[in-house]
Amino acid sequence: MSVVIETQDLTKVYKGMSKAQDLVALNKLNIQVNEGEIFGYLGPNGSGKTTTIKLLLSLIFPTGGKMKIMGNANITSPEVRKNIGYLPEGAYYPDFLRGEEILSYYGSLYGMRGASLKKRIDEVLEVVGMTRARKRLIRGYSKGMRQRIGLAQALLSDPGILILDEPTTGLDPVARKEIRDLLIQLRDQGKSLLISSHELLEVELISDRVGILFEGVLQTSGTIDELLTSREFSIKAEEAAPEATQKVREAGLITEDAAAGRVSLRVPENMSLYQALDICKSQNMKIVSVSPRRETLEEVFVRVVGSAVSSKEAQRGER
Amino acid sequence: MSIWLASNPWLTVLYGVIVLAILAAVAWFTPWSIALFTFREGLRKKTLIGFLILSILVIFGSMFMTAMMYDTGGTVATDVDVKLIKDICITAISIFGVLIAIFISASVVPTEIENKVVYTVLSKPVRRFQYLLGKFVGVQIIVAVNLLLMGVLFSIALYIKEPIFPRMLLYAIFLTYFEFLIVSAFTFAVAAASTSAVLPTIAGLFIYITGNLTQYLESVVNRSEASESAVDKTLGGLAWVLRNTLPDLQYFSLKTQILSLQINDTPKDIQIPNLVVYGILYALAGYIIAYWVFRRKEL
């Protein structure tokens, strides 16, 4: 699997009036997006996600480091640009134009003309489900429809890479689901997607790999399975009397659910699975299942960002 | 008048070649879709429509004004009547035309940065110089179309009063375009460095006003040379810099000739091809400055 987007020690510093006022938006960022995958790019507000995207599109310029797109370091070359589709967050599309007119405008920027442009507009409108609304003025579009038109303009040149900044923000649940399905469909067609988002559940549902950014530093990255599979275990048991449940809790196991003699227990990282099983057996519980516990992306995100915040505060304290 | 604006047939030929080369380069490199998009979007700006309606009201209002003067006194001579229309209309075209040129030039790029349209355009295979060129050419189409519209209305207003071919007026409108081109180019250059339209609008008005006051600047320079005061010397130095860098927009004014000569006369003592080159070269300088500041602008 080849790498389509790659950054090496990418750094962006916004200069202030003095050195102390300099803002490090990105600090030696190393990310890779592979061909045919969805890379979820996560981080709280101001963590540097949009800065990374703007750097990749040369809308701003790096202070240090390197970027390659499809192995090409000249990321502004027309060949590279033709292979990138970009959907900015909250983009505006001139509302006096019709859906197909705005696509015609953007298509012309790729040098597309005449029948081939018209054919491509038909195709992308079909892909994003906007064929019926093509002749309507954009001012009459809902937020979801505007987002679809935004996706359509990003798809016009049939690019291999899609860079999407908050593609589902502000959409209702139905529109979110539709956009999500569309993104999976595009991935399945072989396109590579870099999706920046706050919507952790959305990202968890569609991403192959994820990177979590905080204050310009990539805190962690990996496949969804790597990130979400923790070292903790879950134990499900039956025939658990209330007193027994209380005892195992006192012994250090974490009760996640308890009802009608059934309990779900979490084994903390500082306890071995064997110890936990012995505790349950000693309380005459009937073990039904033992499984590695899978975290949610939200839990991973909160843990990673929380840890980054703590370590930063500790550094400040040392100073 | 500057030496290079003097009459010389060889210079005129040279200037012609320069103009053709520049126009050919612009035509070749301009992304016309961006220019036409800018034109279409510009025509929908409420401020522009407001200025245009005001100018139309003033142009036709001048006719009613003269008609009322007839009704009330009945002593106003026809040439005075026509002169009044000419005076009001040419002033209205200058003021509203330049306001439209400044407003549009000041707003097209900052507006696209603000609403992020620039992100979607520049993420496509469009170079920054092409983007700016497309926006600039789009602005020029708006300015030219507005000027043409006001000129046609002015001609109709005059023709109703004096049914002769308004040759002088056509020359005046043509030269006024080049005056607006210069103001527009420098406003555009400031806009390329800005994130809002306020600063470029102020800069555009400054260029228009100082560009029309170069004779006054000349007199400031002369007075400072005769004075011993340090303040006068400093002001004189500043006036000298402005005098020698800013364009002299008075070159493009045919107002005195329009008012004093017949409307079907040909303008006198004026080298139109040279003024065209003068306007285009200043506009080119404005565009180069715009590109220079925009090429590494963080968006």
Side-chain angles (χ1 to χ4, degrees):
Chain A
M1 192 180 281
S2 62
V3 175
V4 291
I5 296 177
E6 186 179 11
T7 69
Q8 289 170 5
D9 295 335
L10 188 62
T11 302
K12 176 66 187 173
V13 179
Y14 290 104
K15 295 280 179 195
M17 298 293 281
S18 66
K19 189 94 178 163
Q21 288 178 323
D22 284 357
L23 174 72
V24 182
L26 278 186
N27 193 0
K28 299 194 171 182
L29 178 77
N30 293 296
I31 56 166
Q32 288 188 340
V33 178
N34 298 318
E35 190 179 1
E37 76 172 8
I38 297 181
F39 184 82
Y41 198 40
L42 303 173
N45 286 335
S47 58
K49 302 187 300 290
T50 301
T51 298
T52 311
I53 290 175
K54 283 185 173 182
L55 285 166
L56 288 168
L57 297 165
S58 298
L59 296 171
I60 57 175
F61 303 96
T63 311
K66 291 176 182 170
M67 293 173 279
K68 278 186 185 173
I69 294 178
M70 305 187 84
N72 193 340
N74 181 10
I75 60 171
T76 57
S77 76
E79 295 73 35
V80 169
R81 287 295 170 85
K82 276 183 184 168
N83 244 311
I84 297 179
Y86 171 52
L87 173 69
E89 181 190 3
Y92 161 90
Y93 301 101
D95 58 7
F96 62 88
L97 294 178
R98 297 171 201 287
E100 62 182 10
E101 286 177 328
I102 192 72
L103 294 181
S104 177
Y105 170 57
Y106 282 117
S108 69
L109 301 180
Y110 286 108
M112 299 159 87
R113 298 274 183 278
S116 65
L117 174 59
K118 193 178 173 303
K119 184 168 173 277
R120 186 62 192 151
I121 289 172
D122 292 346
E123 286 168 3
V124 293
L125 284 170
E126 185 68 39
V127 168
V128 300
M130 288 285 286
T131 304
R132 288 177 67 186
R134 63 188 297 163
K135 298 226 180 270
R136 278 170 58 186
L137 288 173
I138 291 177
R139 75 167 63 101
Y141 281 5
S142 67
K143 206 165 180 179
M145 290 164 91
R146 283 170 196 247
Q147 202 70 336
R148 283 159 188 264
I149 276 293
L151 263 176
Q153 65 80 23
L155 289 168
L156 270 170
S157 66
D158 195 16
I161 301 169
L162 283 166
I163 298 177
L164 313 175
D165 200 353
E166 305 286 354
T168 56
T169 299
L171 300 185
D172 62 53
V174 176
R176 273 172 194 235
K177 167 85 170 66
E178 287 171 356
I179 296 280
R180 207 164 59 216
D181 291 346
L182 177 60
L183 299 182
I184 291 171
Q185 188 189 326
L186 291 168
R187 190 265 316 269
D188 293 345
Q189 288 169 9
K191 298 195 187 301
S192 315
L193 289 86
L194 170 66
I195 299 177
S196 152
S197 182
H198 293 109
E199 308 290 339
L200 301 174
L201 182 63
E202 306 282 335
V203 173
E204 184 178 342
L205 286 170
I206 63 174
S207 299
D208 301 296
R209 288 196 313 123
V210 166
I212 297 177
L213 194 68
F214 179 71
E215 297 207 334
V217 178
L218 188 68
Q219 303 294 334
T220 186
S221 70
T223 64
I224 285 284
D225 282 344
E226 282 167 359
L227 288 180
L228 303 191
T229 307
S230 75
R231 282 166 289 176
E232 295 178 339
F233 288 89
S234 284
I235 299 174
K236 286 198 166 80
E238 289 178 351
E239 298 173 12
E243 304 78 40
T245 308
Q246 180 62 29
K247 287 266 170 65
V248 296
R249 196 181 294 138
E250 283 167 9
L253 284 160
I254 300 157
T255 314
E256 291 191 318
D257 192 22
R262 291 181 179 179
V263 286
S264 284
L265 300 164
R266 175 147 63 95
V267 183
E269 275 189 53
N270 57 4
M271 184 185 285
S272 78
L273 178 60
Y274 296 109
Q275 272 180 302
L277 290 171
D278 286 344
I279 292 167
C280 292
K281 281 177 190 164
S282 70
Q283 297 302 319
N284 298 319
M285 288 181 177
K286 186 180 170 191
I287 308 294
V288 178
S289 70
V290 177
S291 56
R293 189 170 171 276
R294 191 177 164 91
E295 285 182 296
T296 62
L297 190 55
E298 187 177 64
E299 287 170 322
V300 173
F301 183 83
V302 169
R303 179 163 51 78
V304 167
V305 171
S307 155
V309 170
S310 309
S311 103
K312 197 171 178 195
E313 280 170 358
Q315 278 177 359
R316 275 194 199 131
E318 279 171 20
R319 275 184 221 147
Chain B
M1 194 175 274
S2 305
I3 184 80
W4 70 282
L5 282 174
S7 174
N8 179 329
W10 289 109
L11 273 181
T12 305
V13 170
L14 175 69
Y15 293 160
V17 171
I18 293 171
V19 168
L20 286 176
I22 292 172
L23 291 181
V26 169
W28 177 257
F29 287 111
T30 297
W32 287 97
S33 53
I34 295 180
L36 293 175
F37 176 79
T38 306
F39 173 66
R40 285 185 71 179
E41 195 172 34
L43 289 185
R44 280 164 179 83
K45 287 192 186 285
K46 289 189 179 86
T47 319
L48 183 145
I49 295 168
F51 285 144
L52 199 58
I53 291 171
L54 271 176
S55 65
I56 292 167
L57 286 176
V58 171
I59 289 168
F60 282 101
S62 66
M63 287 176 65
F64 288 113
M65 197 185 294
T66 53
M68 278 170 65
M69 287 168 82
Y70 266 123
D71 290 345
T72 48
T75 53
V76 182
T78 307
D79 58 335
V80 176
D81 181 18
V82 170
K83 200 169 177 177
L84 186 64
I85 292 178
K86 287 196 287 192
D87 199 1
I88 292 173
C89 290
I90 203 78
T91 307
I93 287 177
S94 292
I95 291 173
F96 292 117
V98 83
L99 285 177
I100 288 170
I102 290 173
F103 174 74
I104 290 290
S105 311
S107 62
V108 287
V109 172
T111 304
E112 288 214 341
I113 294 174
E114 199 181 329
N115 62 26
K116 300 182 185 177
V117 169
V118 69
Y119 294 176
T120 45
V121 174
L122 290 180
S123 64
K124 303 203 163 23
V126 175
R127 303 256 181 210
R128 288 193 178 205
F129 91 90
Q130 290 177 303
Y131 169 76
L132 270 193
L133 194 58
K135 299 309 284 181
F136 185 66
V137 171
V139 167
Q140 295 319 310
I141 299 173
I142 296 170
V143 172
V145 167
N146 277 304
L147 196 55
L148 201 64
L149 187 62
M150 289 191 283
V152 167
L153 294 173
F154 183 14
S155 304
I156 292 170
L158 264 183
Y159 197 82
I160 292 169
K161 285 285 173 193
E162 199 175 34
I164 48 174
F165 181 67
R167 182 177 296 109
M168 178 72 83
L169 183 63
L170 295 180
Y171 277 109
I173 297 288
F174 181 72
L175 285 181
T176 303
Y177 169 72
F178 287 93
E179 179 186 7
F180 290 174
L181 173 68
I182 294 174
V183 175
S184 162
F186 282 95
T187 308
F188 190 76
V190 180
S194 308
T195 48
S196 91
V198 178
L199 183 67
T201 303
I202 294 168
L205 289 170
F206 172 80
I207 288 172
Y208 180 67
I209 293 166
T210 26
N212 276 295
L213 291 176
T214 42
Q215 286 175 351
Y216 173 75
L217 291 173
E218 191 77 56
S219 68
V220 172
V221 173
N222 293 337
R223 261 185 290 149
S224 73
E225 281 168 0
S227 169
E228 295 298 318
S229 156
V231 176
D232 284 350
K233 290 280 181 202
T234 311
L235 283 174
L238 183 65
W240 185 89
V241 171
L242 290 173
R243 174 72 187 89
N244 287 287
T245 51
L246 288 177
D248 188 341
L249 300 177
Q250 280 294 306
Y251 292 157
F252 297 92
S253 176
L254 286 182
K255 188 173 178 180
T256 317
Q257 295 197 39
I258 285 179
L259 294 179
S260 59
L261 300 174
Q262 286 299 310
I263 201 70
N264 60 347
D265 283 344
T266 305
K268 293 180 172 55
D269 303 326
I270 196 151
Q271 298 298 321
I272 287 176
N274 302 9
L275 282 176
V276 169
V277 175
Y278 184 86
I280 287 180
L281 288 183
Y282 260 107
L284 187 65
Y287 174 77
I288 290 169
I289 294 169
Y291 173 64
W292 187 75
V293 295
F294 193 72
R295 89 202 148 93
R296 297 290 290 179
K297 186 182 170 81
E298 305 239 305
L299 298 168

